[in-house]
């Protein structure tokens, strides 16, 4: 469902559904922009500048711990998308962006969706493993080790002996396979 947004973006607009706002906060659209640019070998500097404008605007207008942007599932997806964006354009990444990314990782680590289980819990853990790899220091190592250990335990529960997802949903199976493939590639690199 496409929408036209006015600048500045109202990240909390009640005009949009809860799910639509979640999707806005994921920044999946930013990652899609990068993938399209890579496929066409056409990096439009205006689009890239606008993408970083939106990241800056998101940081300024989303108070830590409040609103849709700070829901653990939303953070899980945004962290991974921002990492891809930052790794693609390292020259445009500021200390402000890295500080926000680290704060989001720490917040997610303290607000995991263990109670929901399923794909939410896996999204949290996969993101914490990937996110903690982007930083150095004792806390990053602890987040990495704890999250990887929890992920291994949870995969034994959620992935059945036949390789399928325990919810027996093809969409969850494909989603988890996609996430684990991405995790494997990132860890390998």
């Amino acid at each position: 469902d496409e929408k036209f947004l006015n600048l500045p973006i109202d990240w909390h607009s009640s005009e949009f559904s809860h799910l639509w706002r979640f999707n806005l906060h994921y920044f999946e659209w930013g990652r899609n922009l990068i993938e399209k640019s890579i496929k066409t070998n056409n990096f439009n500097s205006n689009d890239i500048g606008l993408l970083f404008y939106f990241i800056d605007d998101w940081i300024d207008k989303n108070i830590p711990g409040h609103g849709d942007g700070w829901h653990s599932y939303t953070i899980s997806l945004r962290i991974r998308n921002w990492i891809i964006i930052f790794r693609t354009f390292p020259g445009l990444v500021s200390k402000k962006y890295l500080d926000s990314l680290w704060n989001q990782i720490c917040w997610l680590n303290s607000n995991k969706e263990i109670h929901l289980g399923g794909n939410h819990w896996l999204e949290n853990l996969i993101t914490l493993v990937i996110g903690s790899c982007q930083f150095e220091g004792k806390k990053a190592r602890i987040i990495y080790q704890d999250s990887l250990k929890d992920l291994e335990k949870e995969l034994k529960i959620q992935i059945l002996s036949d390789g399928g997802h325990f919810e027996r949903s093809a969409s969850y199976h494909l989603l988890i396979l996609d996430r684990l493939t991405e995790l494997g590639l990132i860890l390998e690199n």
Side-chain angles (χ1 to χ4, degrees), residues 34 37 43 48 51-52 84-93:
I34 289 172
S37 298
F43 286 89
I48 304 309
L51 174 58
F52 278 88
I84 296 296
I85 294 166
F86 294 173
R87 290 289 179 169
T88 305
F89 302 105
L92 298 177
V93 178

Side-chain angles (χ1 to χ4, degrees), residues 158-166 168 173 176-177:
Q158 291 198 33
I159 305 299
L160 303 174
S161 61
D162 65 1
H165 188 261
F166 79 133
R168 291 297 186 193
H173 178 77
I176 299 307
L177 180 61

Side-chain angles (χ1 to χ4, degrees), residues 85-103:
I85 294 166
F86 294 173
R87 290 289 179 169
T88 305
F89 302 105
L92 298 177
V93 178
S94 68
K95 181 179 182 324
K96 175 182 179 178
Y97 300 159
L98 293 176
D99 288 348
S100 177
L101 183 64
W102 177 244
N103 289 337

Side-chain angles (χ1 to χ4, degrees), residues 126 130 177-189:
I126 290 167
I130 291 171
L177 180 61
D178 178 68
R179 300 301 195 238
L180 292 174
T181 300
E182 181 178 62
L183 173 62
L185 290 170
I186 289 171
L187 289 177
E188 188 175 299
N189 285 326

Side-chain angles (χ1 to χ4, degrees), residues 58 70 75 78 82 100-108:
W58 187 93
W70 286 89
I75 288 178
R78 183 178 52 257
W82 279 19
S100 177
L101 183 64
W102 177 244
N103 289 337
Q104 291 174 62
I105 290 167
C106 291
W107 194 91
L108 178 60

